[in-house]
Amino acid sequence: AQSVTQPDARVTVSEGASLQLRCKYSYSGTPYLFWYVQYQRQGLQLLLKYYSGDPVVQGVNGFEAEFSKSDSSFHLRKASVHWSDSAVYFCAASLYNYAQGLTFGLGTRVSVFP
Amino acid sequence: GGIITQTPKFLIGQEGQKLTLKCQQNFNHDTMYWYRQDSGKGLRLIYYSITENDLQKGDLSEGYDASREKKSSFSLTVTSAQKNEMAVFLCASSIRLGPYAEQFFGPGTRLTVL
């Protein structure tokens, strides 16, 4: 079955530290991959997306993600976090045959402390 | 730019009650979606609509009806609310149906069933 796994439910980091959020997918082909962020009591906002090309894709607010076909992963990174990066981050995937829509991971809650 | 408006923000219902959630978008997007977000379960697709008057079931459509009478609006009805149910319902839209089309999300409607 197609699935997206985010193994870390919660991550706590200090302001200025680096951040990596893990995402693994299980699909028969190479899916389209997305990272969304949800700030408290708001809808989801797209950070970045990937399908092909350079495996490192740049997103908004200094975020980037790296695709690995061999590892079936799409990890999100940020070099230096700010307190405003505290939010829930969702990894999502879809196949070209879009009938099943986007499949989301369970999300990782990030807390940034001063 | 555009915005997605969801009404109401908070919805409290009684067991067995029929409840309707509304979503409006001014992006002029063709495709709209309803997702349910439960704590610990991520986002799951309930219904989506490719265009006006079109309805497509997602993985979680049982217990729900949807309506897309205008391009700009998409309603979701909980046909019989379940006691102690708590969830956030997120509406989204995209310019077209497709795996790479960015989905824009509304702020959500929080449902509590007493």
Side-chain angles (χ1 to χ4, degrees), chain B residues 32-47:
Chain B
M32 296 185 74
Y33 313 80
W34 276 108
Y35 290 91
R36 177 181 166 123
Q37 184 177 22
D38 293 272
S39 179
K41 291 186 180 177
L43 275 76
R44 293 176 288 173
L45 184 64
I46 305 172
Y47 267 96

PDB file of all heavy atoms in Angstrom, chain B residues 32-47:
ATOM      1  N   MET B  32     -11.544  21.446  -5.888  1.00  0.00           N
ATOM      2  CA  MET B  32     -11.651  21.691  -4.453  1.00  0.00           C
ATOM      3  C   MET B  32     -11.688  20.368  -3.710  1.00  0.00           C
ATOM      4  O   MET B  32     -12.079  19.332  -4.262  1.00  0.00           O
ATOM      5  CB  MET B  32     -12.893  22.537  -4.138  1.00  0.00           C
ATOM      6  CG  MET B  32     -12.829  23.929  -4.755  1.00  0.00           C
ATOM      7  SD  MET B  32     -14.196  25.004  -4.302  1.00  0.00           S
ATOM      8  CE  MET B  32     -13.780  25.419  -2.601  1.00  0.00           C
ATOM      9  N   TYR B  33     -11.271  20.413  -2.438  1.00  0.00           N
ATOM     10  CA  TYR B  33     -11.097  19.202  -1.630  1.00  0.00           C
ATOM     11  C   TYR B  33     -11.621  19.431  -0.219  1.00  0.00           C
ATOM     12  O   TYR B  33     -11.581  20.553   0.306  1.00  0.00           O
ATOM     13  CB  TYR B  33      -9.601  18.860  -1.503  1.00  0.00           C
ATOM     14  CG  TYR B  33      -8.801  18.883  -2.764  1.00  0.00           C
ATOM     15  CD1 TYR B  33      -8.347  20.088  -3.305  1.00  0.00           C
ATOM     16  CD2 TYR B  33      -8.461  17.708  -3.426  1.00  0.00           C
ATOM     17  CE1 TYR B  33      -7.595  20.123  -4.459  1.00  0.00           C
ATOM     18  CE2 TYR B  33      -7.699  17.728  -4.584  1.00  0.00           C
ATOM     19  CZ  TYR B  33      -7.275  18.934  -5.096  1.00  0.00           C
ATOM     20  OH  TYR B  33      -6.521  18.961  -6.247  1.00  0.00           O
ATOM     21  N   TRP B  34     -12.048  18.344   0.410  1.00  0.00           N
ATOM     22  CA  TRP B  34     -12.321  18.327   1.843  1.00  0.00           C
ATOM     23  C   TRP B  34     -11.457  17.234   2.469  1.00  0.00           C
ATOM     24  O   TRP B  34     -11.486  16.075   2.037  1.00  0.00           O
ATOM     25  CB  TRP B  34     -13.787  18.035   2.148  1.00  0.00           C
ATOM     26  CG  TRP B  34     -14.676  19.220   2.087  1.00  0.00           C
ATOM     27  CD1 TRP B  34     -15.601  19.527   1.142  1.00  0.00           C
ATOM     28  CD2 TRP B  34     -14.758  20.267   3.076  1.00  0.00           C
ATOM     29  NE1 TRP B  34     -16.245  20.704   1.449  1.00  0.00           N
ATOM     30  CE2 TRP B  34     -15.751  21.182   2.628  1.00  0.00           C
ATOM     31  CE3 TRP B  34     -14.096  20.533   4.271  1.00  0.00           C
ATOM     32  CZ2 TRP B  34     -16.090  22.326   3.344  1.00  0.00           C
ATOM     33  CZ3 TRP B  34     -14.430  21.665   4.975  1.00  0.00           C
ATOM     34  CH2 TRP B  34     -15.419  22.550   4.520  1.00  0.00           C
ATOM     35  N   TYR B  35     -10.707  17.634   3.516  1.00  0.00           N
ATOM     36  CA  TYR B  35      -9.907  16.700   4.289  1.00  0.00           C
ATOM     37  C   TYR B  35     -10.390  16.722   5.743  1.00  0.00           C
ATOM     38  O   TYR B  35     -10.843  17.741   6.254  1.00  0.00           O
ATOM     39  CB  TYR B  35      -8.428  17.116   4.313  1.00  0.00           C
ATOM     40  CG  TYR B  35      -7.699  16.965   3.012  1.00  0.00           C
ATOM     41  CD1 TYR B  35      -7.643  18.020   2.097  1.00  0.00           C
ATOM     42  CD2 TYR B  35      -7.024  15.792   2.700  1.00  0.00           C
ATOM     43  CE1 TYR B  35      -6.940  17.894   0.911  1.00  0.00           C
ATOM     44  CE2 TYR B  35      -6.321  15.662   1.510  1.00  0.00           C
ATOM     45  CZ  TYR B  35      -6.288  16.712   0.625  1.00  0.00           C
ATOM     46  OH  TYR B  35      -5.592  16.598  -0.552  1.00  0.00           O
ATOM     47  N   ARG B  36     -10.213  15.602   6.396  1.00  0.00           N
ATOM     48  CA  ARG B  36     -10.450  15.526   7.839  1.00  0.00           C
ATOM     49  C   ARG B  36      -9.090  15.350   8.515  1.00  0.00           C
ATOM     50  O   ARG B  36      -8.271  14.521   8.090  1.00  0.00           O
ATOM     51  CB  ARG B  36     -11.360  14.348   8.150  1.00  0.00           C
ATOM     52  CG  ARG B  36     -11.606  14.137   9.625  1.00  0.00           C
ATOM     53  CD  ARG B  36     -12.495  12.945   9.870  1.00  0.00           C
ATOM     54  NE  ARG B  36     -12.454  12.578  11.264  1.00  0.00           N
ATOM     55  CZ  ARG B  36     -13.543  12.511  12.038  1.00  0.00           C
ATOM     56  NH1 ARG B  36     -14.739  12.752  11.547  1.00  0.00           N
ATOM     57  NH2 ARG B  36     -13.412  12.166  13.301  1.00  0.00           N
ATOM     58  N   GLN B  37      -8.849  16.128   9.561  1.00  0.00           N
ATOM     59  CA  GLN B  37      -7.600  16.045  10.307  1.00  0.00           C
ATOM     60  C   GLN B  37      -7.910  15.611  11.731  1.00  0.00           C
ATOM     61  O   GLN B  37      -8.593  16.322  12.467  1.00  0.00           O
ATOM     62  CB  GLN B  37      -6.877  17.402  10.295  1.00  0.00           C
ATOM     63  CG  GLN B  37      -5.524  17.371  10.970  1.00  0.00           C
ATOM     64  CD  GLN B  37      -4.798  18.701  10.889  1.00  0.00           C
ATOM     65  OE1 GLN B  37      -5.394  19.757  10.709  1.00  0.00           O
ATOM     66  NE2 GLN B  37      -3.480  18.671  11.010  1.00  0.00           N
ATOM     67  N   ASP B  38      -7.435  14.449  12.108  1.00  0.00           N
ATOM     68  CA  ASP B  38      -7.575  13.936  13.465  1.00  0.00           C
ATOM     69  C   ASP B  38      -6.207  13.884  14.118  1.00  0.00           C
ATOM     70  O   ASP B  38      -5.212  13.560  13.476  1.00  0.00           O
ATOM     71  CB  ASP B  38      -8.160  12.516  13.459  1.00  0.00           C
ATOM     72  CG  ASP B  38      -9.583  12.483  12.980  1.00  0.00           C
ATOM     73  OD1 ASP B  38     -10.469  12.645  13.824  1.00  0.00           O
ATOM     74  OD2 ASP B  38      -9.794  12.310  11.769  1.00  0.00           O
ATOM     75  N   SER B  39      -6.209  14.144  15.413  1.00  0.00           N
ATOM     76  CA  SER B  39      -4.965  14.078  16.147  1.00  0.00           C
ATOM     77  C   SER B  39      -4.372  12.682  16.031  1.00  0.00           C
ATOM     78  O   SER B  39      -5.051  11.689  16.277  1.00  0.00           O
ATOM     79  CB  SER B  39      -5.219  14.419  17.617  1.00  0.00           C
ATOM     80  OG  SER B  39      -4.030  14.326  18.347  1.00  0.00           O
ATOM     81  N   GLY B  40      -3.119  12.609  15.597  1.00  0.00           N
ATOM     82  CA  GLY B  40      -2.454  11.320  15.489  1.00  0.00           C
ATOM     83  C   GLY B  40      -2.758  10.543  14.228  1.00  0.00           C
ATOM     84  O   GLY B  40      -2.237   9.447  14.037  1.00  0.00           O
ATOM     85  N   LYS B  41      -3.604  11.112  13.338  1.00  0.00           N
ATOM     86  CA  LYS B  41      -3.950  10.375  12.117  1.00  0.00           C
ATOM     87  C   LYS B  41      -3.682  11.169  10.852  1.00  0.00           C
ATOM     88  O   LYS B  41      -4.020  10.743   9.768  1.00  0.00           O
ATOM     89  CB  LYS B  41      -5.428   9.961  12.153  1.00  0.00           C
ATOM     90  CG  LYS B  41      -5.729   8.900  13.190  1.00  0.00           C
ATOM     91  CD  LYS B  41      -7.169   8.422  13.084  1.00  0.00           C
ATOM     92  CE  LYS B  41      -7.461   7.358  14.121  1.00  0.00           C
ATOM     93  NZ  LYS B  41      -8.877   6.932  14.088  1.00  0.00           N
ATOM     94  N   GLY B  42      -3.118  12.334  10.953  1.00  0.00           N
ATOM     95  CA  GLY B  42      -2.813  13.094   9.752  1.00  0.00           C
ATOM     96  C   GLY B  42      -4.073  13.571   9.043  1.00  0.00           C
ATOM     97  O   GLY B  42      -5.143  13.671   9.630  1.00  0.00           O
ATOM     98  N   LEU B  43      -3.934  13.850   7.749  1.00  0.00           N
ATOM     99  CA  LEU B  43      -5.053  14.325   6.938  1.00  0.00           C
ATOM    100  C   LEU B  43      -5.555  13.200   6.052  1.00  0.00           C
ATOM    101  O   LEU B  43      -4.763  12.486   5.442  1.00  0.00           O
ATOM    102  CB  LEU B  43      -4.604  15.479   6.033  1.00  0.00           C
ATOM    103  CG  LEU B  43      -4.602  16.875   6.627  1.00  0.00           C
ATOM    104  CD1 LEU B  43      -3.405  17.046   7.545  1.00  0.00           C
ATOM    105  CD2 LEU B  43      -4.566  17.907   5.513  1.00  0.00           C
ATOM    106  N   ARG B  44      -6.866  13.081   5.960  1.00  0.00           N
ATOM    107  CA  ARG B  44      -7.461  12.066   5.095  1.00  0.00           C
ATOM    108  C   ARG B  44      -8.499  12.715   4.196  1.00  0.00           C
ATOM    109  O   ARG B  44      -9.300  13.523   4.659  1.00  0.00           O
ATOM    110  CB  ARG B  44      -8.076  10.953   5.942  1.00  0.00           C
ATOM    111  CG  ARG B  44      -7.030  10.138   6.698  1.00  0.00           C
ATOM    112  CD  ARG B  44      -7.670   9.114   7.590  1.00  0.00           C
ATOM    113  NE  ARG B  44      -8.316   9.716   8.740  1.00  0.00           N
ATOM    114  CZ  ARG B  44      -9.072   9.050   9.603  1.00  0.00           C
ATOM    115  NH1 ARG B  44      -9.287   7.755   9.437  1.00  0.00           N
ATOM    116  NH2 ARG B  44      -9.610   9.667  10.627  1.00  0.00           N
ATOM    117  N   LEU B  45      -8.491  12.324   2.931  1.00  0.00           N
ATOM    118  CA  LEU B  45      -9.355  12.932   1.930  1.00  0.00           C
ATOM    119  C   LEU B  45     -10.767  12.376   2.049  1.00  0.00           C
ATOM    120  O   LEU B  45     -10.971  11.157   2.029  1.00  0.00           O
ATOM    121  CB  LEU B  45      -8.789  12.655   0.538  1.00  0.00           C
ATOM    122  CG  LEU B  45      -9.490  13.289  -0.649  1.00  0.00           C
ATOM    123  CD1 LEU B  45      -9.389  14.817  -0.584  1.00  0.00           C
ATOM    124  CD2 LEU B  45      -8.888  12.781  -1.954  1.00  0.00           C
ATOM    125  N   ILE B  46     -11.740  13.292   2.137  1.00  0.00           N
ATOM    126  CA  ILE B  46     -13.141  12.886   2.252  1.00  0.00           C
ATOM    127  C   ILE B  46     -13.811  12.921   0.875  1.00  0.00           C
ATOM    128  O   ILE B  46     -14.368  11.924   0.404  1.00  0.00           O
ATOM    129  CB  ILE B  46     -13.901  13.823   3.216  1.00  0.00           C
ATOM    130  CG1 ILE B  46     -13.202  13.891   4.569  1.00  0.00           C
ATOM    131  CG2 ILE B  46     -15.344  13.332   3.389  1.00  0.00           C
ATOM    132  CD1 ILE B  46     -13.788  14.950   5.509  1.00  0.00           C
ATOM    133  N   TYR B  47     -13.787  14.081   0.257  1.00  0.00           N
ATOM    134  CA  TYR B  47     -14.352  14.281  -1.076  1.00  0.00           C
ATOM    135  C   TYR B  47     -13.474  15.270  -1.826  1.00  0.00           C
ATOM    136  O   TYR B  47     -12.825  16.107  -1.220  1.00  0.00           O
ATOM    137  CB  TYR B  47     -15.762  14.902  -0.985  1.00  0.00           C
ATOM    138  CG  TYR B  47     -16.903  13.925  -0.976  1.00  0.00           C
ATOM    139  CD1 TYR B  47     -17.471  13.511   0.214  1.00  0.00           C
ATOM    140  CD2 TYR B  47     -17.437  13.433  -2.169  1.00  0.00           C
ATOM    141  CE1 TYR B  47     -18.529  12.615   0.229  1.00  0.00           C
ATOM    142  CE2 TYR B  47     -18.504  12.533  -2.169  1.00  0.00           C
ATOM    143  CZ  TYR B  47     -19.036  12.133  -0.955  1.00  0.00           C
ATOM    144  OH  TYR B  47     -20.093  11.253  -0.941  1.00  0.00           O
TER     145      TYR B  47
END
